[in-house]
Amino acid sequence: MAATVETVDQVRALADDKYKYGFVTDIEADTAPKGLDESTVRFISAKKEEPEWLLEWRLKAYRQWLTMPEPEWAKVDFPAIDYQDAYYFSAPKTTEAPKSLDEVDPELLRTYEKLGIPLREQEMLAGVAVDAVFDSVSVATTFRHKLAEKGVIFCSISEAIKDYPDLVKKYLGSVVPYGDNKHACLNSAVFTDGSFVYIPKGVRCPMELSTYFRINAANTGQFERTLIIADEGSYVSYLEGCTAPMRDENQLHAAVVELIVLDDAEIKYSTVQNWYPGDENGVGGIYNFVTKRGACRGKNSKISWTQVETGSAVTWKYPSCILQGDNSVGEFYSIAITNNMQQADTGTKMIHLGKNTTSRIIAKGISAGKSQSTYRGLVRMGAKAKGARNYTQCDSLLIGDKCGAHTVPYIESRNSSAQIEHEATTSKISEDQLFYCRQRGIGEEDAVALVVNGFCREVLQQLPMEFAVEAQKLVGISLEGSVG
Amino acid sequence: MLEIKNLHADVEGKAILRGINLTIQPGEVHAIMGPNGSGKSTLAHVISGRDGYDVTEGEVLYHGKNILEMEPEERAGEGVFLAFQYPVEIPGVTNTTFMKEALNSIRKYRGEDELDAMQFMKVIREKTKQLGVSNDMLKRAVNVGFSGGEKKRNDILQMAILEPSLAILDETDSGLDIDALKTVADGVNLLRSPENATLVITHYQRLLDYIVPDFVHVLAKGRIVKSGDKTLAQELEKKGYAEFTDQAA
Amino acid sequence: MKQDNVMTTPFVSQYDNLKQALPGYSQPWMTTLRDRAMESFTQAGLPTQRRESWKYTNLRGLQQLELTERALEPQPISIDRAPSLLPEGTAHRVVFVNGGFRPDLSDLAGLPEGVIVGSVADLAEREPQRVEALLAAHSDVEDQPLVALNTAFMRDGLLLELEAGRKLDRVLEVIHVNSAENGVFAHNARNLISLGAGSEATILEHHTGLNGTAYYINAANDMTLAEDATLRHYRIQAEGTNAVHTSTMNGHLSGNSFYDGYTLSIGAALSRNETNMKLTAAGARCHLNGGYLMRDKQHCDTTTVVDHLSPQTSCREVFKGVLDDRSRGVFQGRIVVHPEAQQTDGHQLNKVLLLTDTAEINAKPELEIYADDVKCSHGCSAGEVDHDALFYLRSRGLSETSAKALLIQAFLAESVSEIGKEELQDLFLEKISDWLAI
């Protein structure tokens, strides 16, 4: 017991400057007037020179949003959001979109370097293409030409709307309809940018694609929209990272991600979410309300979600798979770490519709401080999902006696030949393990980090190599500052 | 190098150690024997700094420093190593990662440069070869799915890598068959040197056939009631502990 | 909070007309209690699927019973023998027919001193203070509409009280026989059980519907176990196939007390068996086990909530379900470890076999943990009979039907073996064999 108490005390003693991404970039921004009404939606659409159909779609979403209740079922508690007290559009002020990195504001490039995403070096050194989204707009996409040789489209969604209207029109909202839930509905009305990816038939994307999201401006919501289409027989691995400055007020992030996977194609989608979590008293931090859903439309298609969630004051997020195609596969690997006053309600939905569809869920929750962490998941076997399989393993680890860890799975089967297996455990970090490490010379914080990383190993292994090490460090950093 | 003076320790308000005095010099092997509940493991845990024990009196000096005030990892940095009676499983953490983390922590404590992956692998290869441990054990998670013998051997491998100046073997022989016992003893003997000392804690004499002690102490009811050379261990094997428990009461 | 859809007919309309005829009317406290419960029920209505704890069970089926005003006054039926499951002379016996106590069919001879077994209706008149004390221990009707309904209309049920240190050496068999041959009825059965410190009792409770006619049983059970008390409580729900059966058991377990429960559900068109256990002091243990075997269009909901309110408490649950035809099973199991409830053990298992593609299982095992030094787990699985095992048995000469039945029985036996009073296990296995027709 005592060691854990000490651990918890250390956590309290640690200043919050552990959040090393908490700086603000001083940059001139072009901002829509505060508040939200139809004119805000029109302003955004006009600013982006969008076609009429998209404006109409946004307006329909906005009108429905007005009528929708806030989702209340999640185990998170926060004051009602004042939607009129935020800005819905903020863009770094440049006269025109940059044609190449040389035209990007050097202040912005420095920001990304500080974040460990040097857009230039990245372009030259690592085999990763990056789309950087700053507040509401995409500021740079690297490696575009190399990707174009293979026919891969990787650009901001704003550009895609202009350059590939047919693809966007066909798939936007086809997995997450605008009326899906209140947050997705808001996003549909006011989304400002995000990434667009199209992998053509039979192409294995030659490099990792990555989007880096950054909220910078104060009082600004971020509503990005990502759309990824993997055409028949293609493969892509995509990673997103997110950070924000430390601010006293809560900022809203309501994103939507839609994945479409056709026959024999695969999308691997990894997230390292490190939005500012607020301070130890729960002041500030991002409200991270994200709707992520993928449709395995084709036979033998596959979607694999991996997420490392360490940031945000409140997380509400359920990356899901609709397994329509026969033999399609859905995976969800998750690490959710909460500390101080953070709250996370996250999990997945695996909807089995096709024959012999399989899904696998591995969720690891770590709660420390006074935080609350909930796994919430649904596995549904439809009447036609003959021979479908699901395996779910949820493990929770508690550090300190003021936090909570909860598991709320929904298991629904309408098919006798479908097999579902669900297991969940909850335990605390073991004193024996800590002492064993410390007797071998490893300091207490490092010992906690080591044990927790071991606890998360199955999930960390799923991350692309380039990011696994980073994620492991992030777990360590969160543990220094948050689990400690 | 190790001086234990009038050490008293409680567990949950109950006195377990009731005035231990013991001095160990470099190069020596001491054995502490005693019946169950005599305080053998408590002594090992108090020296290495495990939670849950209240030292009510006395001190433990190591190279002249009072180590009772130190955190367990600082004591490890000072060169104290405990081979566990029940080595702990750490799922998901490979032996290699664990030992690298441990070795570099200790080097850092001593103000030495940390080893990079290449240098560390060199150390590992050398030690595994020396002890005849298979490399396959390195890739597995720490003690997870290990047999009793493998766990103990893993502890000895860690000892070889961390090169402590004082090794405490806490009932390392428990649950081992004779072959495993020999392997473990060989490992310990291989690591003996004029600078290092070993404290063997055991219930049975058989381990001492392989790790031959310079001194044997009998612990009963929290006190050392008799000290002698290795013949004392043989005597105990014949007569049992009854005489000493009566004496201590 | 949204107002639930109010389905209250005919209960609300009949309450004022009926209340004078309900037992205990002479006691003002009783009427106050009923009035308060009725008010609460009127506000909440019957639970609907909008309530998270009723997500998978719809009580609309109750409306098909077409309960009339008369239905709230169950009519007696003539019956001259109780369908006992235990040999004559080996058990104490209490019999209720259409909810009413039948002393003529009961056998309470030779009850030990300090053991009270009787009818709640009877005792409400003769020893009101005893009933009052037992009801007061569980007067929370605010969040349980069905308990509120029961409290407003309760007519009769079992009262079992053991003084400290008393042991009921024979099994207490509680038989409920129901039949709607004299008209559709709704009965609110209230059972009050209180075990004094260190006392011990075993109850075998079974509910039987005599024919296919329809009726509604809404039972509420209040159970209090003092320190070191042990209650073994084994139940068989074999209501008539058109009946609706809802049962809510609320238990308070004190230090080192032990509740060992097993419920076999095979009857009723629609049933819900909800158990709420509060483990209030160190050493309290509860075992909640059961099996549900459903066919045709039956629907069975098993809901358990175990609140660990004190350190060093434990619970263990093993439930097995077998669903045939178009039947539906629901399993909701919640383990809540409150702050301070350190060193808690909570383990739960729910396994289901679906025998057809039209059967359906909805499960929601839930852990809610607010303390760190705990060991909690749940497991849940759904699937069909193991093909390999089936093939193995058939290759040894068994027919497919009997091989399947054998495997299903083995599957269910795992939960039956949890029954602490081992001599009663066979009785449950027999019931299972009967259901499987082997």
Side-chain angles (χ1 to χ4, degrees):
Chain A
M1 192 59 234
T4 311
V5 171
E6 279 166 27
T7 311
V8 173
D9 288 344
Q10 280 181 8
V11 172
R12 286 199 200 102
L14 278 162
D16 242 10
D17 58 16
K18 290 291 177 194
Y19 189 74
K20 65 173 182 173
Y21 310 102
F23 58 86
V24 179
T25 305
D26 188 12
I27 202 154
E28 251 194 294
D30 195 358
T31 310
K34 208 177 202 178
L36 179 58
D37 57 21
E38 281 204 13
S39 66
T40 322
V41 177
R42 289 178 192 280
F43 175 92
I44 293 166
S45 192
K47 201 81 191 161
K48 306 190 111 2
E49 299 164 7
E50 285 175 357
E52 190 60 27
W53 67 265
L54 191 53
L55 173 64
E56 281 309 313
W57 191 74
R58 285 176 180 276
L59 288 171
K60 270 193 277 180
Y62 173 72
R63 286 166 200 146
Q64 178 153 352
W65 176 77
L66 290 173
T67 67
M68 288 179 89
E70 295 275 342
E72 278 174 343
W73 37 262
K75 212 175 176 62
V76 291
D77 189 21
F78 53 90
I81 298 169
D82 182 356
Y83 290 98
Q84 298 309 331
D85 191 34
Y87 294 97
Y88 288 83
F89 184 80
S90 172
K93 209 173 218 166
T94 45
T95 39
E96 248 177 75
K99 296 274 182 298
S100 79
L101 282 174
D102 299 334
E103 291 176 28
V104 174
D105 187 335
E107 192 63 31
L108 267 179
L109 291 180
R110 271 196 290 281
T111 297
Y112 282 90
E113 269 163 41
K114 265 199 245 179
L115 294 170
I117 314 287
L119 297 174
R120 288 166 188 285
E121 278 86 339
Q122 202 90 13
E123 180 160 341
M124 283 183 286
L125 297 172
V128 181
V130 178
D131 182 24
V133 177
F134 194 82
D135 286 340
S136 301
V137 298
S138 171
V139 293
T141 309
T142 65
F143 276 112
R144 221 186 264 213
H145 303 297
K146 187 165 179 201
L147 291 168
E149 284 167 21
K150 291 267 188 181
V152 172
I153 304 170
F154 179 36
C155 63
S156 72
I157 197 144
S158 307
E159 289 170 273
I161 290 163
K162 289 198 184 94
D163 301 342
Y164 312 99
D166 295 344
L167 277 176
V168 176
K169 202 171 174 179
K170 182 169 175 190
Y171 290 110
L172 186 75
S174 74
V175 186
V176 181
Y178 62 77
D180 190 80
N181 65 71
K182 180 123 186 158
H183 305 312
C185 198
L186 177 63
N187 173 285
S188 302
V190 303
F191 76 90
T192 40
D193 219 334
S195 298
F196 176 84
V197 177
Y198 172 79
I199 315 290
K201 275 185 194 172
V203 171
R204 193 177 168 88
C205 187
M207 61 185 77
E208 306 277 344
L209 302 185
S210 164
T211 298
Y212 207 84
F213 294 103
R214 171 79 181 165
I215 297 179
N216 189 61
N219 285 318
T220 305
Q222 177 150 322
F223 307 94
E224 82 267 0
R225 183 127 198 151
T226 299
L227 179 58
I228 302 179
I229 302 137
D231 212 329
E232 290 172 20
S234 68
Y235 169 84
V236 63
S237 168
Y238 181 92
L239 181 121
E240 60 174 8
C242 344
T243 60
M246 292 161 65
R247 294 192 188 278
D248 289 345
E249 82 273 14
N250 296 109
Q251 284 177 287
L252 177 61
H253 170 252
V256 172
V257 175
E258 294 179 277
L259 310 183
I260 293 107
V261 192
L262 304 181
D263 286 0
D264 305 303
E266 176 177 352
I267 296 177
K268 183 174 171 62
Y269 194 108
S270 315
T271 303
V272 175
Q273 184 267 105
N274 190 25
W275 295 119
Y276 177 55
D279 69 9
E280 72 276 11
N281 299 314
V283 176
I286 303 291
Y287 291 160
N288 187 37
F289 302 153
V290 177
T291 305
K292 290 183 166 174
R293 196 174 302 154
C296 282
R297 299 233 166 114
K299 63 178 169 51
N300 307 318
S301 57
K302 179 175 177 184
I303 289 174
S304 180
W305 297 101
T306 303
Q307 60 174 25
V308 179
E309 302 280 318
T310 60
S312 298
V314 179
T315 296
W316 180 101
K317 183 182 171 191
Y318 315 91
S320 303
C321 299
I322 301 167
L323 304 168
Q324 290 164 269
D326 290 348
N327 309 316
S328 60
V329 178
E331 293 178 338
F332 176 73
Y333 296 95
S334 171
I335 297 170
I337 299 179
T338 55
N339 180 41
N340 292 324
M341 304 293 281
Q342 279 179 278
Q343 306 172 62
D345 193 298
T346 184
T348 184
K349 290 187 227 174
M350 293 290 175
I351 313 290
H352 292 254
L353 301 173
K355 287 193 192 101
N356 299 318
T357 47
T358 56
S359 63
R360 182 178 170 83
I361 300 170
I362 308 286
K364 306 277 180 179
I366 299 106
S367 320
K370 293 179 180 166
S371 70
Q372 298 292 330
S373 173
T374 302
Y375 168 82
R376 186 182 303 277
L378 167 68
V379 174
R380 178 182 289 156
M381 298 297 185
K384 290 179 182 156
K386 277 242 173 287
R389 296 277 180 278
N390 161 266
Y391 174 74
T392 302
Q393 173 77 46
C394 298
D395 297 312
S396 306
L397 196 64
L398 293 127
I399 301 175
D401 59 0
K402 299 281 184 289
C403 53
H406 320 298
T407 316
V408 190
Y410 296 79
I411 296 154
E412 305 176 356
S413 180
R414 287 160 182 74
N415 196 300
S416 66
S417 64
Q419 293 279 357
I420 302 181
E421 258 183 87
H422 171 101
E423 283 172 46
T425 65
T426 301
S427 55
K428 69 166 186 165
I429 195 157
S430 125
E431 299 292 321
D432 286 344
Q433 289 175 336
L434 287 186
F435 178 65
Y436 191 71
C437 294
R438 295 178 74 187
Q439 210 301 307
R440 297 298 179 256
I442 302 169
E444 186 173 20
E445 278 193 357
D446 292 336
V448 171
L450 194 71
V451 172
V452 173
N453 263 309
F455 174 76
C456 298
R457 186 177 155 88
E458 265 178 289
V459 177
L460 289 168
Q461 278 176 331
Q462 296 300 322
L463 286 171
M465 191 65 119
E466 294 85 340
F467 303 104
V469 180
E470 278 304 307
Q472 206 162 329
K473 275 190 205 148
L474 183 60
V475 170
I477 290 166
S478 318
L479 296 171
E480 275 174 40
S482 63
V483 190
Chain B
M1 63 196 289
L2 180 73
E3 258 183 289
I4 301 175
K5 294 183 190 166
N6 190 31
L7 183 66
H8 287 71
D10 291 4
V11 175
E12 287 169 358
K14 197 175 160 223
I16 305 293
L17 300 183
R18 304 189 301 164
I20 302 266
N21 290 292
L22 179 65
T23 302
I24 299 179
Q25 299 299 341
E28 293 177 352
V29 174
H30 288 244
I32 292 198
M33 302 184 69
N36 290 332
S38 59
K40 299 190 302 282
S41 285
T42 299
L43 180 61
H45 288 154
V46 169
I47 298 173
S48 53
R50 188 174 189 136
D51 267 328
Y53 301 93
D54 290 328
V55 174
T56 51
E57 225 183 308
E59 54 185 3
V60 177
L61 299 177
Y62 190 61
H63 292 304
K65 292 184 207 168
N66 186 358
I67 57 168
L68 290 179
E69 296 304 314
M70 294 182 182
E71 296 295 331
E73 58 270 29
E74 294 170 331
R75 301 184 202 202
E78 293 291 331
V80 176
F81 180 93
L82 173 67
F84 283 59
Q85 184 175 4
Y86 305 106
V88 179
E89 299 185 2
I90 310 179
V93 178
T94 64
N95 250 325
T96 311
T97 308
F98 179 70
M99 288 187 222
K100 180 162 177 259
E101 185 92 13
L103 181 59
N104 276 336
S105 299
I106 285 176
R107 291 181 66 94
K108 209 162 131 189
Y109 179 83
R110 293 176 184 158
E112 298 163 5
D113 286 339
E114 293 182 33
L115 300 183
D116 63 24
M118 297 281 277
Q119 293 166 318
F120 176 73
M121 285 319 290
K122 206 175 145 225
V123 173
I124 280 249
R125 268 196 294 272
E126 196 182 297
K127 299 295 182 184
T128 46
K129 206 172 149 198
Q130 194 183 358
L131 293 174
V133 177
S134 81
N135 279 324
D136 144 87
M137 201 150 99
L138 299 170
K139 290 182 207 123
R140 290 160 63 188
V142 180
N143 295 326
V144 178
F146 283 31
S147 70
E150 282 176 323
K151 283 183 181 175
K152 300 288 163 84
R153 231 180 304 156
N154 195 23
D155 255 20
I156 300 303
L157 174 63
Q158 291 174 16
M159 182 170 128
I161 287 168
L162 302 180
E163 299 182 321
S165 45
L166 173 67
I168 304 167
L169 311 180
D170 183 12
E171 308 225 12
T172 290
D173 49 336
S174 72
L176 291 192
D177 62 32
I178 197 73
D179 291 331
L181 190 73
K182 268 188 198 160
T183 328
V184 167
D186 288 349
V188 173
N189 289 327
L190 207 62
L191 301 169
R192 280 173 72 167
S193 81
E195 294 82 42
N196 299 342
T198 309
L199 179 60
V200 184
I201 289 171
T202 183
H203 186 88
Y204 302 104
Q205 192 262 341
R206 62 171 195 170
L207 178 65
L208 304 180
D209 289 343
Y210 303 98
I211 304 173
V212 181
D214 302 308
F215 301 95
V216 174
H217 311 277
V218 180
L219 191 65
K221 301 201 169 160
R223 288 197 190 99
I224 290 178
V225 291
K226 189 167 185 183
S227 298
D229 61 12
K230 62 181 178 186
T231 55
L232 178 57
Q234 286 147 11
E235 191 185 323
L236 275 172
E237 187 75 4
K238 283 194 207 102
K239 292 191 186 162
Y241 289 109
E243 174 190 338
F244 297 105
T245 36
D246 296 345
Q247 195 178 325
Chain C
M1 181 84 201
K2 280 177 298 274
Q3 175 77 36
D4 275 324
N5 178 22
V6 182
M7 288 196 300
T8 52
T9 321
F11 305 110
V12 172
S13 60
Q14 289 306 298
Y15 178 65
D16 285 335
N17 299 339
L18 271 176
K19 69 179 186 184
Q20 294 182 29
L22 292 169
Y25 186 68
S26 58
Q27 307 292 321
W29 62 265
M30 187 84 160
T31 307
T32 309
L33 185 68
R34 289 185 190 275
D35 285 349
R36 194 163 64 85
M38 196 59 216
E39 200 182 307
S40 173
F41 175 73
T42 309
Q43 285 220 325
L46 282 171
T48 69
Q49 288 180 284
R50 269 193 240 147
R51 226 173 239 268
E52 179 65 23
S53 56
W54 284 81
K55 186 179 166 63
Y56 293 115
T57 295
N58 191 337
L59 276 180
R60 270 175 204 286
L62 200 50
Q63 287 178 331
Q64 286 166 10
L65 293 185
E66 293 175 350
L67 295 172
T68 59
E69 293 159 9
R70 249 188 95 238
L72 289 169
E73 294 169 273
Q75 300 303 309
I77 52 163
S78 68
I79 173 176
D80 51 16
R81 236 187 107 251
S84 172
L85 297 173
L86 296 169
E88 200 67 35
T90 63
H92 305 292
R93 188 181 309 129
V94 189
V95 180
F96 296 88
V97 176
N98 279 9
F101 179 50
R102 286 284 295 268
D104 56 321
L105 302 177
S106 302
D107 176 6
L108 292 171
L111 276 176
E113 209 179 312
V115 176
I116 315 245
V117 179
S119 137
V120 169
D122 176 33
L123 288 163
E125 301 295 342
R126 286 198 298 121
E127 292 185 64
Q129 67 292 352
R130 187 183 293 280
V131 174
E132 183 178 13
L134 292 179
L135 277 172
H138 298 263
S139 55
D140 175 29
V141 292
E142 298 308 320
D143 207 40
Q144 297 188 317
L146 289 181
V147 175
L149 175 66
N150 179 287
T151 306
F153 285 99
M154 62 186 159
R155 279 186 180 274
D156 208 348
L158 168 75
L159 186 147
L160 170 66
E161 202 172 349
L162 266 72
E163 286 174 10
R166 302 295 179 178
K167 289 192 169 51
L168 196 54
D169 46 358
R170 288 186 189 176
V171 174
L172 175 64
E173 186 181 20
V174 182
I175 306 174
H176 297 268
V177 183
N178 298 307
S179 166
E181 62 189 52
N182 291 331
V184 174
F185 69 94
H187 174 67
N188 287 282
R190 187 61 164 248
N191 303 304
L192 304 172
I193 296 169
S194 172
L195 268 60
S199 65
E200 252 186 79
T202 303
I203 297 175
L204 175 68
E205 170 188 329
H206 53 103
H207 303 256
T208 312
L210 282 188
N211 57 32
T213 54
Y215 53 88
Y216 175 39
I217 301 295
N218 177 39
N221 301 265
D222 301 346
M223 303 181 295
T224 308
L225 273 64
E227 288 73 24
D228 300 302
T230 299
L231 177 62
R232 299 184 195 88
H233 191 189
Y234 310 124
R235 312 194 301 159
I236 299 168
Q237 184 273 98
E239 301 284 11
T241 47
N242 290 320
V244 176
H245 176 105
T246 55
S247 147
T248 311
M249 301 208 292
N250 291 328
H252 278 243
L253 271 58
S254 303
N256 296 316
S257 64
F258 176 42
Y259 177 87
D260 185 40
Y262 184 91
T263 301
L264 180 68
S265 300
I266 49 181
L270 170 61
S271 62
R272 159 116 165 173
N273 179 33
E274 177 180 330
T275 308
N276 302 297
M277 286 292 176
K278 295 196 184 330
L279 311 185
T280 62
R285 290 187 296 146
C286 93
H287 288 185
L288 299 178
N289 304 303
Y292 43 99
L293 316 181
M294 296 284 125
R295 58 165 56 103
D296 300 326
K297 288 173 82 175
Q298 285 180 286
H299 176 108
C300 178
D301 176 332
T302 300
T303 295
T304 67
V305 180
V306 178
D307 281 290
H308 293 266
L309 295 157
S310 161
Q312 292 154 13
T313 52
S314 68
C315 75
R316 178 181 161 82
E317 301 181 29
V318 179
F319 284 89
K320 295 286 187 111
V322 175
L323 303 172
D324 202 353
D325 303 326
R326 306 178 66 83
S327 64
R328 273 178 304 164
V330 175
F331 176 82
Q332 305 184 107
R334 188 150 151 233
I335 296 175
V336 186
V337 178
H338 292 260
E340 316 300 324
Q342 299 290 2
Q343 285 121 43
T344 292
D345 266 6
H347 299 285
Q348 181 193 80
L349 188 67
N350 174 54
K351 288 186 169 186
V352 181
L353 286 181
L354 296 177
L355 303 184
T356 65
D357 279 350
T358 43
E360 180 179 325
I361 176 70
N362 293 307
K364 191 184 167 202
E366 218 178 317
L367 296 174
E368 198 174 333
I369 317 280
Y370 297 94
D372 63 335
D373 191 5
V374 299
K375 281 196 202 102
C376 288
S377 68
H378 64 223
C380 187
S381 73
E384 57 189 341
V385 177
D386 183 347
H387 286 292
D388 294 339
L390 200 58
F391 175 73
Y392 179 78
L393 290 182
R394 291 176 72 186
S395 74
R396 295 293 176 272
L398 275 78
S399 74
E400 184 174 355
T401 322
S402 51
K404 225 174 197 173
L406 204 64
L407 290 172
I408 294 169
Q409 198 179 30
F411 170 80
L412 291 162
E414 198 191 326
S415 69
V416 174
S417 68
E418 296 285 324
I419 293 176
K421 190 132 181 118
E422 289 176 21
E423 53 270 41
L424 291 179
Q425 290 181 5
D426 281 348
L427 199 146
F428 282 84
L429 290 173
E430 262 169 51
K431 282 279 164 197
I432 290 167
S433 301
D434 288 351
W435 187 86
L436 289 164
I438 54 173

